[in-house]
Amino acid sequence: MAAEYPDNDIDIAPYIDHTLLIPTATPDLIEQWCEEAQRFHFAGVCVNPSYVRLAAELLHNKMPKICTVIGFPTGATTSAVKLYEAQEAVENGANELDVVINLGWLKAGKTDEVHREIAEICEETGQIVKVIIETNLLTDAEKRLATEICMDAGAAFIKTCTGWNGGATVADVRLLKEVARERVGIKASGGIRTIDQALDLILAGATRLGTSYSVDLLRQRDTLEKSSH
């Protein structure tokens, strides 16, 4: 249990990308998420591209980063479309981009194409790029290969999952940390709903957490702290 960890007093808020990627998200929900991100000192908000401008306006001159997703959730749009989507997101105020790789290319051995696509987005936008490799759809060998390719292409983070094909696991975070060797950050995302999960993933090596349950995690943390006194 997380309450037994020597590190259970970790402040998880600065690790969190407060995420709202459901297709039914409304402007009112975006406003709520941005207000919560500022109030609880989360690392950032992660919203769909159509809401980047609104989030940037709501968080202008405030600490949380504006993150959005590119090629989400399949990674199967063309490189030109991904680049345009990324550039438009930056123009609208995004300063972090979570980009889904082309998994079909990776599995087919088209590593040059995977590298070129990510490198172009990194170079043309100049922003923090977190590459989603969708760990649940890859073998361990493919996870290692994808991580190496994306680091070489200029990614700042390797991100586990979109959340559409399963969630982050401690085993995958450990594997990514082993390959990354502190050269890039590791973002665990997908299915993080309990404080135990969040702490496990951080202790395994995650430097960022993507979750829609951010506020609930803080409530669980507070409950744990009260029960341990």
Side-chain angles (χ1 to χ4, degrees), residues 17-65:
D17 283 344
H18 195 29
T19 303
L20 184 62
L21 297 174
I22 57 173
T24 53
T26 62
D28 285 346
L29 273 179
I30 299 296
E31 187 170 352
Q32 176 189 328
W33 249 243
C34 289
E35 188 276 327
E36 289 170 347
Q38 174 68 9
R39 176 164 30 120
F40 295 112
H41 307 290
F42 294 138
V45 292
C46 186
V47 299
N48 283 309
S50 60
Y51 283 128
V52 167
R53 187 182 295 276
L54 174 59
E57 290 169 355
L58 291 167
L59 290 172
H60 181 63
N61 286 333
K62 296 180 180 176
M63 288 298 294
K65 300 290 188 182

Side-chain angles (χ1 to χ4, degrees), residues 155-216:
F157 286 78
I158 305 301
K159 178 176 171 181
T160 58
C161 313
T162 62
W164 288 58
N165 296 286
T169 68
V170 165
D172 280 335
V173 169
R174 285 180 179 150
L175 184 151
L176 299 185
K177 181 182 179 183
E178 177 191 325
V179 178
R181 299 196 303 276
E182 312 294 336
R183 288 175 288 172
V184 297
I186 297 168
K187 179 174 175 179
S189 186
I192 305 171
R193 301 186 179 190
T194 71
I195 189 66
D196 287 16
Q197 285 177 294
L199 289 171
D200 282 342
L201 291 164
I202 290 170
L203 293 173
T207 55
R208 195 76 68 87
L209 303 175
T211 178
S212 301
Y213 292 82
S214 321
V215 177
D216 195 42

Side-chain angles (χ1 to χ4, degrees), residues 115-187:
H115 183 282
R116 186 180 305 112
E117 181 174 88
I118 299 303
E120 189 172 31
I121 292 171
C122 292
E123 291 165 8
E124 294 296 326
T125 64
Q127 302 300 316
I128 288 174
V129 172
K130 309 190 205 88
V131 183
I132 307 172
I133 65 171
E134 202 70 301
T135 47
N136 292 300
L137 300 182
L138 302 180
T139 65
D140 283 356
E142 288 168 340
K143 294 167 197 173
R144 292 176 183 276
L145 176 61
T147 300
E148 292 286 2
I149 291 169
C150 295
M151 286 194 299
D152 189 61
F157 286 78
I158 305 301
K159 178 176 171 181
T160 58
C161 313
T162 62
W164 288 58
N165 296 286
T169 68
V170 165
D172 280 335
V173 169
R174 285 180 179 150
L175 184 151
L176 299 185
K177 181 182 179 183
E178 177 191 325
V179 178
R181 299 196 303 276
E182 312 294 336
R183 288 175 288 172
V184 297
I186 297 168
K187 179 174 175 179

